[in-house]
Amino acid sequence: IFRAGLKKKFEAPAETYRMETMASRVMPNMALLKQLAQAVKAEGENLEDQGRFGEAAWIYVELIEYGQKVQAGPVIFCLVGLALEDMGLKALQGIETKLKDLERAQVVSRLEQLAAERISFEDVIKRERYFGRRNSLTPFHYLIALRMSRPAMDNARAKHDREVKAERDFIAKLKTD
């Protein structure tokens, strides 16, 4: 089911953009996203234990893809997605030296494809602003909320930029080693 889901487009559910359902229905389920990622990562670790590093690498690439898909929502989704993506990247970095040349080339190709398809942080900001406008009593309230959320948005952007750079650097390393 996980792999079938990766083939589909993902967008945060509609109730994500309503304050009354965000806290009661969406946030309690965010932990399930991480639990699923941990289960998938355990599959990769099991393959590593068997010496099947190429297959484990694909599992970790799937985790990166999963994290990128989860980012299609307001900032909280971006942050959770970045954490999931980083889980896959770190696991992949851990087995990088054990991959054969062909496996490395295949991983590079897929990572480059994912990088090209990734949601931009500007699109995350658009979703966050939509959430803010939809849940503000007046335009004045929206402007105040926008101003107050600026440090959190800057922090999220910095995390996004670090993850993008880490993946770009890893792709370059795989190509040169």
Side-chain angles (χ1 to χ4, degrees), residues 28 40 64 99-100 104 154:
V40 172
I64 292 169
L99 297 176
K100 298 174 184 161
R104 294 166 78 84
D154 290 344

Side-chain angles (χ1 to χ4, degrees), residues 44-84:
E45 291 168 342
N46 183 40
L47 290 167
E48 281 186 62
D49 291 344
Q50 297 173 34
R52 296 162 57 188
F53 299 107
E55 292 172 71
W58 278 112
I59 300 293
Y60 302 144
V61 169
E62 288 175 336
L63 275 176
I64 292 169
E65 181 178 6
Y66 175 52
Q68 287 181 4
K69 283 189 175 284
V70 168
Q71 293 172 43
V75 170
I76 187 65
F77 277 77
C78 180
L79 292 171
V80 169
L82 287 168
L84 303 176

Side-chain angles (χ1 to χ4, degrees), residues 69-141:
K69 283 189 175 284
V70 168
Q71 293 172 43
V75 170
I76 187 65
F77 277 77
C78 180
L79 292 171
V80 169
L82 287 168
L84 303 176
E85 187 176 358
D86 194 56
M87 183 187 302
L89 180 62
K90 284 189 168 109
L92 191 55
Q93 288 169 328
I95 62 168
E96 177 252 331
T97 59
K98 297 173 182 163
L99 297 176
K100 298 174 184 161
D101 289 343
L102 179 60
E103 294 165 338
R104 294 166 78 84
Q106 291 169 335
V107 166
V108 164
S109 176
R110 184 64 180 133
L111 289 177
E112 287 177 329
Q113 182 182 13
L114 290 173
E117 296 170 355
R118 106 173 359 266
I119 185 171
S120 71
F121 193 76
E122 287 68 31
D123 284 339
V124 172
I125 297 238
K126 287 177 189 175
R127 287 166 170 83
E128 186 68 22
R129 287 183 178 162
Y130 170 75
F131 174 81
R133 284 189 309 272
R134 184 169 187 194
N135 292 286
S136 295
L137 297 173
T138 67
F140 180 70
H141 287 94

